[in-house]
Amino acid sequence: MTISPIHIIGGGMAGTEAAWQLLKQNIPVILHEMRGVKSTNAHHTDGLAELVCSNSFRSDDAEYNAVGLLHQEMRHMGSLMMEAAEQTKVPAGSALAVDRDLFSQYVQEKLLAHPLFTLERGEIETIPPEEWGNVIIATGPLTSDSLAAAVLKITGTDELQFFDAIAPIIYKETIDFDKAWFQSRYNKGANEDGTGGADYINCPMSKDQYYQFIDAITDAEKSDYKEWEQDIPFFEGCMPIEVMAERGRETLSFGPMKPVGLDNPHSDERPYAVVQLRQDNHLGTLYNMVGFQTKLKYNFQKEIFRRIPGLENAEFARLGGLHRNTFINSPKLLDTQLRLKLMPRIRFAGQITGVEGYVESGAMGILAGFFLGAEISGRTISAPPVVTAFGALINHITGGHIEGAGTAKTFQPMNVNFGIMPPLEEKKMLQDGKMKKIKRKDRKPLKSKRALEALNHWLNQAKHSADE
């Protein structure tokens, strides 16, 4: 049987990983990359899988770091990215870092050496026609204006974003509830019997604490915008906190930090300002700081935000930011196979789906290629279990974000982290011959062990479906 080639648009991490997964299944691929004909504002070469911002794939610790776990899951699925990293890595402690030129060269040469692979240089300006058949769009955060316009046309003007305005996201278990409490302003949403109306976590500040906090924000160093980010619009609804603070010391206390309608159960003193956190995922493990999008440098964010009562020991699933990034409203537009619901022959992969980072982009490319290969061969496979790093990312971008489904305004890109994975079902484990409560330091290794076991079981099921 002759198999028509799959067209992949974009030669970054996601596009090259998707191509490799298909080639491994003996499915021909035509990879379209515009660099070499038309450059972007960020890239410096025309090489496939060029690393733009950093040469690091972050931590390689598969026990205690979710990105390290994702590395390991990618290796289990025959990742070209991880193979290239192993061959081109440079000393970086517990992190996985590479020689970026050698890395790109390795990926490109490996693909070009495959007899079923074709590289075509040139910009794809529209959604490919029906005769192209199945297509994977993996154009990344700097999708060309013409293709972005074409995506807008078929998905709707509210379903494509061009910049991130992201508030920090915190692991709920690291919040101190001896100082913080649950309550909505004026108990809005409460039922007649008094239940409900407690959708937000509230962290109170005295007047002195508030002024010290504002001074710290205005004095802290901010990240610079890259040249192509200079025209990012500041909407009033996503104004960086440091911009609001510079408008006047009381601006935040009358904005996202207003204390009205809240009663602190830990004190009779009325708070001068309150930081509110809102649930960010259906699992209830992550909470975002309402109205706290920022361009403060990461080290300053950690230091300043841990001054907030209740957040002294906060651990961050991600820090705040505001930068150019093209991404679709995946919870509304994509199914769990990364297909466009309105046009299932089109799949999306990489950062354009709402994941962040080289590794996460590559992971979505792996899944897009894996899913499509199974579909072509007539196999039916489910998405990876949500307890895996792969499955957690798929779940986040296709519905795990609590306000994401159908709401482009609230869905924001996410790095992989343990907070998007379900909590451990077991509360105790055998230690020294006795069943004891699982300590916080033991939770991550147990989640990693659970993830790899679930992924291998899922891969075995996929293999058996291929053999039948």
Side-chain angles (χ1 to χ4, degrees), residues 370-412:
F370 191 78
F371 290 148
L372 181 50
E375 183 179 294
I376 290 170
S377 64
R379 292 181 289 130
T380 300
I381 58 173
S382 61
V386 71
V387 297
T388 66
F390 274 120
L393 283 170
I394 284 278
N395 181 59
H396 173 75
I397 65 175
T398 61
H401 184 282
I402 195 166
E403 294 184 308
T407 313
K409 291 180 180 178
T410 60
F411 173 62
Q412 291 292 347

Side-chain angles (χ1 to χ4, degrees), residues 115-131:
L116 295 179
F117 179 80
T118 302
L119 175 61
E120 290 192 359
R121 299 282 182 178
E123 182 181 3
I124 304 299
E125 298 182 337
T126 62
I127 299 298
E130 287 280 349
E131 53 264 32

Side-chain angles (χ1 to χ4, degrees), residues 63-64 315 418 440-448:
E63 270 199 308
Y64 288 92
E315 293 182 15
F418 285 112
R440 183 181 294 177
K441 67 180 181 63
D442 295 322
R443 293 175 192 169
K444 290 178 180 179
L446 288 172
K447 281 189 173 183
S448 292

Side-chain angles (χ1 to χ4, degrees), residues 120-430:
E120 290 192 359
R121 299 282 182 178
E123 182 181 3
I124 304 299
E125 298 182 337
T126 62
I127 299 298
E130 287 280 349
E131 53 264 32
W132 276 30
N134 288 299
V135 175
I136 297 175
I137 297 176
T139 46
L142 297 177
T143 298
S144 69
D145 292 342
S146 53
L147 183 58
V151 171
L152 275 173
K153 187 174 181 180
I154 64 169
T155 61
T157 56
D158 292 332
E159 313 306 346
L160 187 67
Q161 299 292 299
F162 294 97
F163 66 95
D164 291 343
I166 301 169
I169 296 174
I170 293 171
Y171 293 104
K172 178 190 173 185
E173 64 180 18
T174 66
I175 298 171
D176 182 359
F177 283 97
D178 287 335
K179 297 177 181 177
W181 75 96
F182 276 98
Q183 185 187 4
S184 296
R185 283 198 173 90
Y186 301 108
N187 297 313
K188 287 183 178 178
N191 301 315
E192 290 184 5
D193 61 2
T195 61
D199 294 333
Y200 293 81
I201 295 173
N202 301 278
C203 300
M205 283 185 177
S206 67
K207 187 173 184 178
D208 287 343
Q209 288 171 328
Y210 172 75
Y211 284 142
Q212 290 169 12
F213 181 73
I214 295 300
D215 291 341
I217 290 174
T218 54
D219 292 342
E221 288 187 37
K222 286 81 176 175
S223 298
D224 294 327
Y225 289 104
K226 297 178 178 67
E227 185 177 344
W228 69 89
E229 294 180 320
Q230 296 293 337
D231 59 349
I232 288 178
F234 281 154
F235 299 120
E236 288 298 318
C238 64
M239 188 76 64
I241 57 167
E242 60 273 16
V243 174
M244 286 192 281
E246 288 168 355
R247 290 180 171 181
R249 297 183 83 195
E250 301 296 344
T251 302
L252 283 167
S253 66
F254 284 91
M257 294 179 68
K258 61 180 179 287
V260 297
L262 296 167
D263 303 304
N264 185 355
H266 306 301
S267 173
D268 293 333
E269 184 179 347
R270 183 176 178 275
Y272 190 80
V274 171
V275 174
Q276 287 198 308
L277 296 94
R278 178 177 57 223
Q279 188 172 334
D280 197 75
N281 65 343
H282 285 298
L283 295 172
T285 54
L286 301 175
Y287 276 72
N288 70 72
M289 298 175 67
V290 178
F292 269 65
Q293 50 278 343
T294 177
K295 283 289 285 184
L296 294 176
K297 290 187 175 181
Y298 284 174
N299 59 323
F300 286 99
Q301 288 189 46
K302 291 180 179 179
E303 191 274 326
I304 293 170
F305 296 152
R306 284 176 178 151
R307 296 184 184 186
I308 298 170
L311 303 185
E312 292 89 346
N313 298 308
E315 293 182 15
F316 297 87
R318 70 162 302 158
L319 290 160
L322 182 69
H323 60 274
R324 181 176 174 83
N325 183 11
T326 304
F327 65 98
I328 61 173
N329 184 20
S330 292
K332 182 177 181 181
L333 299 176
L334 300 184
D335 66 15
T336 57
Q337 301 273 311
L338 299 176
R339 291 174 296 213
L340 186 63
K341 295 175 185 177
L342 298 169
M343 196 179 293
R345 70 182 183 87
I346 303 291
R347 275 180 165 84
F348 284 84
Q351 276 194 239
I352 197 169
T353 66
V355 297
E356 285 226 327
Y358 295 141
V359 181
E360 291 87 343
S361 296
M364 293 302 98
I366 287 174
L367 289 178
F370 191 78
F371 290 148
L372 181 50
E375 183 179 294
I376 290 170
S377 64
R379 292 181 289 130
T380 300
I381 58 173
S382 61
V386 71
V387 297
T388 66
F390 274 120
L393 283 170
I394 284 278
N395 181 59
H396 173 75
I397 65 175
T398 61
H401 184 282
I402 195 166
E403 294 184 308
T407 313
K409 291 180 180 178
T410 60
F411 173 62
Q412 291 292 347
M414 177 70 80
N415 294 109
V416 67
N417 63 81
F418 285 112
I420 61 174
M421 301 175 193
L424 294 168
E425 293 179 2
E426 311 85 11
K427 301 300 180 185
K428 295 183 178 182
M429 64 183 292
L430 187 64

Side-chain angles (χ1 to χ4, degrees), residues 51-73:
L51 301 175
V52 177
C53 300
S54 167
N55 71 326
S56 174
F57 295 139
R58 298 157 26 231
S59 175
D60 201 35
D61 181 349
E63 270 199 308
Y64 288 92
N65 193 292
V67 74
L69 170 61
L70 185 55
H71 289 175
Q72 197 65 11
E73 291 188 11

